[in-house]
Amino acid sequence: MMRIACVYLPSFPLQVHVRNAPHLAGTSFAVAELGERPKIAACSRLAWEQGVRPGMSATQARAIAPDVQIAPGQPELYQRTMQSLGESLMAFSVTVDISDGDPPVPRNKSLYLHVPTGTRGQAFGTALLAHLDKQGLRGRVGIAAARFTAWAAAAIAPKKETKAEPDKQLSLAAVAPENPNFVRATTTVPRGGAAAFLSPFALELLPIEDEVRQMLHTLGIHTLGDFAALPPPSVGRRWSSNGVDYQALARGDGPTVLTPLTPIEVIVETIDCDDELSDLEPISFLLRPLIDRACERLRGRGMAAARLQLTLYGPESSASPPPQVVIAPSRPTLATQTLLDLMRAKLGELSLEHPVLSLRLEITRESEPEACELDLFDHRDATVSADAVDIAIARLQAALGEDSVSSAELVDTHRPEKAFKLTPFSPPRKDRKRLRRAKRKLAQRKQAKSERADGEMILPLVLSDMVGAMRLIEPPQVQPRGLRALNVGDCTHKVVASHGPTRLDSEWWKDDSTQRDYYEVETDDGGRYWVYKAEGEYYLHGIFD
Amino acid sequence: MAVGRSPETDHRSPVTPMPYAELHCRSYFSFLAGATAPEELVARAHQLGYRALAITDIDGVYGCAQGHFAAKDLGLRFIVGSELTVRDDLSPLTCDGQWSGQRLVLLAANQRGYANLCKLLTIGRTRVGKGSSWVSWDEASSMSEGLYALSGGSDGPLDAAWRRQAPDRALEWARRLKDAFGKRAYVELTHHLAPGDDQRIIAMSQLARTVGLERIVSQDARFGSPVDKRIYDVQTCIREKCTLAEAGRLLDFNSERYLHSAAEITAHFDAFPDALANTTRLIEHFEFSLEELRYRFPDYPLPSNETPFSHLHQLTYQGARQRYQPMSPRAAAQLAHELAIIEKLDLAGYFLIVYDIVRFCRRESILCQGRGSAANSAVCYSLGITAVDPVKMELLFERFLSEERDEMPDIDLDIASDRREEVIQYVYRRFGKERVSLACNVISYHARSAIRDIGKVFGLSLEQVDRAAKAMDRYFSDPSPQGVPTNHFYRPAPDDEVLDSQSRARLRHETGLDPADPRVRQVFAMTRAFEGFPRHLGIHPGGMVIAAGPMHEAVPIENATMEQRTVVQWDKDDLKSMGLIKIDLLGLGMLTAIDKAFDLLRRHQGTDLDMARLPQGDRHVYDMICEGDTVGVFQIESRAQMNMLPRLRPRTFYDLVIEVAIIRPGPIQGDMIHPYLRRRNG
């Protein structure tokens, strides 16, 4: 049976606000619940030290700590952050549940993951905590066989990191991260030891109605162990709400089902600035966590960034549309540094008309991550790294325009000047099914072509006017008996030999179908030219090197 | 030849053309790999002054019968040949890991060679499923007698090995050819003004010299005239399942694979005069003509001291004594007349074979009935093949068989549909499986099927193709003139040539396709050009061909789609023109119903009837017929017939004959019905 890890995020609203506006860290700050008489839902350590406590009214809090900043709660932001965190955690486990069906403890949030088989609990927990750090969040991890047990293991701070020995009388309010006693830890409940682990915990952990709890206290039932020891028929589901068997929870036999998270379609990450920013340098600084988070979410989806769009929002009074920067690495990547470098290169060319107040990063195209061909070899031997190419392309696009950088694609045609085309540059996308199909088709085509009669045309190294009209040999020195001389530039050359014709007659179904007789012509100065005759006129198509 | 040719050659004075014969040319019977009808190829070859033409379709001689007769009419020498797919360990592997086949051109020099060619084609075609064929090199080399082998041009093993840069394989193939065919093997020199052709022709020439093989010039033609390249390109796309835009280099580099004039060829290959001379010299070795096709109808097992005719004579009079009671002088005279003609045309064996099949049906209580013109024969009536007395009905025997017409008689047998298979199996058992085969049916493109394939090739959406296909019958219903193949040279016709203005407006309204759109115009023009093109082979509904010897010595046999069925490579018209006799064993559901009715009558009323003794003047039956109450009644059940019956009011069997004969496209279009009715009603 798969074990469940609970990631417990105390004072979640507070953490989200600090994450979204990093300048709030270390200040006296509180988040108030919504409503006519808002109450403090969470407060920072400084506010705590000044006497602000969750549950106070905003007025009370201001009376105690006049400089405390009280922000209204933003449920939508919290939900988005949970989604973002959940998606990024999908890199650790295929099943991530952010539905938070636990006892509705105010201020705190928790999410659950299946621990992959064969993973050691402590190592898994440590990895999750490190990931939380990268996401700008703090929390604890509990690992057990059931959701409730895992939650309890995460919510109750252990005295030692490696061994779970919770304080019997620990108040839930004491676990807040702003509390100096907050411990970042992973608590692993041994297999079959859930009942013993839960036994000393206070009855308050169970979401039983207050009246019932009071009655139980009166009867001398103070801990989960006491409650679990009650004879089952006498309690059964009588006190349960929504069919939850509290006694089973107390025994560590609670629900184990997780609802897998579905990634939302477009990845968007936002961050607010400390002040109005007019310089691009601090903007670049804020970009890193933004890109980091986006990349972690992509990693969770098993995808990589193929195209990103950064929008710089200014004051609402600004009339001009917010400037946008788009980057498209040459291959889908999850390397934050590469994306950051590309973004900086593009930002370097941007001039701001108004100060920036917030940043919004959107992954406009994602694709399967591709191993770079250079990975096949020792990177030290590679003269040019793929990242450097990306940055160079980004700079070119920034300097010359988005359309200035193109990709060349081969075109399957007999017409030499149409044998390739330029397409807007975009990173290659990896679609395994499509690739397989294309490979199979290619093999079949190759087979069919190898059975074809015609050989390949040997093209000269230099083609004149690759696209568009061919250069006419002016004036055409056509004698009554054929081509005797040709003018290239200002020079006239006498033709001494020619080979051909090779007759091209293609694409009759198009308006620009063509019929040409190609010759390889040698002139008296040793030059070799590729000319063709069409409708009685001679044209120079290329020069052999 | 093109090597080192200067642009001056475009202006050089015309060379004196050498006589030329084309020995490697595909017709549209290469099924999507050749773009011109055999008759047109022959006509063009004749027009260009060729000494001879060989039609060499891929793994078959499908077009040879038509080509032969067209050439005969024009006085052109016709050579029978085929591109035979040979698969061997020297062949390259396909992407599926199979040996890919390469094609040698085999030409039949004599009767033995033709039989060997047919046998090889039969081996190849019956080895694999429908549409494919291959023989091993051992098989090809062991049956080389009477055959001339050409290296196969661009699809041949030598060119292919050179293209794959495997000169050792090319050399090995050339040596094999020489070992197996000796002086009857030739290296083909082809040049289509395509990239690499100069190098290839030199390489092939040197290879021939190295091995000691003679060289000939060929055009490896895929179509008759340059404009047919467009059809060939579309065929390539249909075959490769891609659009023209996607096809790219799958299409030929240019349109040079057509039949050039002798002057052009002489100029083209002026560096290889020996090869040109060999080409015309070679045709003198081909003495075989399809006229000499040795086909014999199987011998009927006869009692001792009997000839086929004497036996037929005896059987006829035995039967006549039962049919004609008493025998009238008219009947006796008719029988004598018919038997004399049958003896003169040596067709007694044929009548005996048909009699044998009918006798089997009778023995097995399978209801069977001769139909069509055979009903005009008193001999057939006496033998029990038909059930209508032609003497009484005053039917004309010459419609069935005539000395003046150089045609084989055609006896079609309707057999109770649920038991036809028993009869077919009997024929296989009686004459031997290798001597019996079904006739093929060449499935040709019609406007509707053509536009489906062509629309896709031109990149129309499936929806557009579907709508256009549904509209086709309305806009392209006019059939091509009789006797003129519809696959006339494709040309991009102006839209007013394809459709009139009214039709264009309707087409736009009904299908959403704009006839002024060049692509749509091309689709419609190409569709017209494709009408009548063979697409694949099917099975004739009932035509069985029986031979005295192995069938594959007369015509190649191949697998049909239906399991355990084989068909010959010629359809009913080709069989007829080549003098191969076909017996149609057709399944008829109504006979099954009649059979069951006879059985019911026998059981419930004790009445024993057969087809010949059915009472023909039942008043109540004619009353129902006159009211048009004929649902499910064979021949007079169609809506047109049911409409006509109350007006014509048949009261005799002969009236019914008129009724069936007059409701036909010819009399209807000739506006003969009303005059007849007026005359009939006085």
Side-chain angles (χ1 to χ4, degrees), chain A residues 6 65 83 115 126 134 142 193 205 230 235 294 297 324 344 353 413 471 522:
Chain A
C6 172
Q83 178 77 23
V115 181
T126 308
K134 280 175 80 175
L205 280 181
L230 290 175
V235 286
R297 288 176 73 176
Q324 288 185 332
R344 278 181 177 152
E353 291 178 11
T413 175
R471 190 146 62 96
E522 281 181 41

Side-chain angles (χ1 to χ4, degrees), chain A residues 447-523:
Chain A
Q447 177 80 29
K449 276 192 182 117
S450 68
E451 287 164 9
R452 277 184 49 244
D454 302 336
E456 295 294 328
M457 210 176 223
I458 298 169
L459 299 180
L461 197 61
V462 182
L463 292 183
S464 64
D465 295 334
M466 300 286 284
V467 184
M470 297 301 129
R471 190 146 62 96
L472 182 67
I473 302 172
E474 292 176 317
Q477 301 291 309
V478 184
Q479 304 298 318
R481 286 175 59 80
L483 189 69
R484 291 293 183 201
L486 55 86
N487 285 1
V488 180
D490 298 331
C491 303
T492 301
H493 302 286
K494 189 180 172 191
V495 173
V496 293
S498 69
H499 296 267
T502 298
R503 187 158 293 161
L504 173 66
D505 179 5
S506 70
E507 299 178 353
W508 50 267
W509 60 93
K510 290 185 179 172
D511 290 338
D512 63 342
S513 61
T514 180
Q515 289 182 318
R516 300 172 187 166
D517 278 357
Y518 277 93
Y519 297 91
E520 286 176 37
V521 175
E522 281 181 41
T523 52

Side-chain angles (χ1 to χ4, degrees), chain B residues 268-545:
Chain B
H268 237 75
F269 294 91
D270 57 358
F272 302 99
D274 61 316
L276 273 170
N278 282 340
T279 311
T280 34
R281 219 169 14 236
L282 179 58
I283 61 169
E284 302 307 326
H285 297 286
F286 295 101
E287 55 197 42
F288 174 74
S289 159
L290 282 175
E291 296 283 320
E292 302 158 25
L293 189 65
R294 274 197 212 143
Y295 168 77
R296 222 160 39 81
F297 204 65
D299 295 328
Y300 182 76
L302 297 165
S304 56
N305 301 324
E306 288 271 22
T307 64
F309 181 73
S310 67
H311 192 54
L312 177 70
H313 193 276
Q314 187 190 341
L315 290 172
T316 304
Y317 278 98
Q318 274 176 7
R321 273 194 290 276
Q322 288 177 8
R323 293 285 203 194
Y324 298 102
Q325 292 177 353
M327 186 180 288
S328 65
R330 269 183 62 211
Q334 181 64 27
L335 283 172
H337 169 68
E338 290 186 16
L339 284 169
I341 293 176
I342 291 168
E343 185 180 20
K344 201 169 182 182
L345 296 176
D346 193 20
L347 289 172
Y350 172 68
F351 280 84
L352 287 172
I353 296 275
V354 178
Y355 165 73
D356 185 76
I357 296 169
V358 172
R359 192 175 57 172
F360 166 79
C361 294
R362 211 177 297 146
R363 193 172 64 228
E364 296 296 322
S365 303
I366 300 170
L367 207 54
C368 130
Q369 187 62 57
R371 70 185 285 185
S373 61
N376 294 32
S377 165
V379 170
C380 287
Y381 179 63
S382 301
L383 291 173
I385 296 170
T386 57
V388 177
D389 179 2
V391 179
K392 185 179 166 190
M393 304 300 293
E394 298 182 343
L395 300 178
L396 184 65
F397 173 70
E398 277 65 24
R399 190 181 156 232
F400 171 59
L401 188 61
S402 160
E403 275 184 89
E404 281 71 34
R405 282 207 318 270
D406 186 18
E407 280 180 6
M408 295 300 289
D410 183 15
I411 302 178
D412 299 340
L413 293 178
D414 282 338
I415 297 166
S417 57
D418 58 342
R419 303 192 67 185
R420 188 176 77 119
E421 188 60 27
E422 292 175 44
V423 183
I424 290 173
Q425 291 307 324
Y426 169 74
V427 175
Y428 277 124
R429 279 198 311 274
R430 185 83 163 98
F431 302 103
K433 212 157 189 180
E434 63 172 15
R435 297 174 184 188
V436 177
S437 190
L438 287 165
C440 79
N441 191 18
V442 178
I443 311 295
S444 301
Y445 273 109
H446 293 282
R448 192 183 266 230
S449 56
I451 203 167
R452 281 190 193 280
D453 280 356
I454 292 165
K456 285 179 208 162
V457 166
F458 276 88
L460 296 184
S461 68
L462 286 176
E463 192 191 355
Q464 285 175 314
V465 168
D466 199 43
R467 280 185 301 191
K470 282 176 185 160
M472 281 312 282
D473 289 343
R474 285 198 292 282
Y475 300 107
F476 290 87
S477 55
D478 55 322
S480 62
Q482 283 293 315
V484 179
T486 43
N487 55 311
H488 40 67
F489 297 114
Y490 166 80
R491 61 186 190 287
D495 51 346
D496 53 353
E497 277 189 33
V498 181
L499 293 171
D500 58 38
S501 59
Q502 201 178 359
S503 297
R504 283 203 300 276
R506 271 177 50 205
L507 181 72
R508 192 182 293 114
H509 175 70
E510 290 177 16
T511 67
L513 294 171
D514 181 6
D517 179 349
R519 189 169 59 153
V520 174
R521 280 172 50 197
Q522 283 178 327
V523 169
F524 281 108
M526 189 58 79
T527 301
R528 296 233 72 167
F530 256 71
E531 278 184 279
F533 263 55
R535 194 177 195 285
H536 60 268
L537 284 196
I539 310 178
H540 188 274
M544 294 201 85
V545 193

Side-chain angles (χ1 to χ4, degrees), chain A residues 412 414 445 447 450-457 481 484 498 500 502-503 505 508-509 519 533 538, chain B residues 2 5-8 10 94-95 154 163 193 195 233 244 246 248-251 253-257 522:
Chain A
D412 189 10
H414 287 303
R445 285 285 182 88
Q447 177 80 29
S450 68
E451 287 164 9
R452 277 184 49 244
D454 302 336
E456 295 294 328
M457 210 176 223
R481 286 175 59 80
R484 291 293 183 201
S498 69
T502 298
R503 187 158 293 161
D505 179 5
W508 50 267
W509 60 93
Y519 297 91
K533 185 181 175 187
Y538 284 90
Chain B
R5 194 182 339 156
S6 142
E8 299 163 25
D10 296 351
T94 63
C95 48
S154 55
R163 268 202 312 276
L193 302 184
D233 282 350
L244 282 165
E246 291 165 351
R249 288 171 297 166
L250 283 174
L251 305 179
F253 196 79
N254 56 38
S255 314
E256 290 298 302
R257 282 175 180 269
Q522 283 178 327

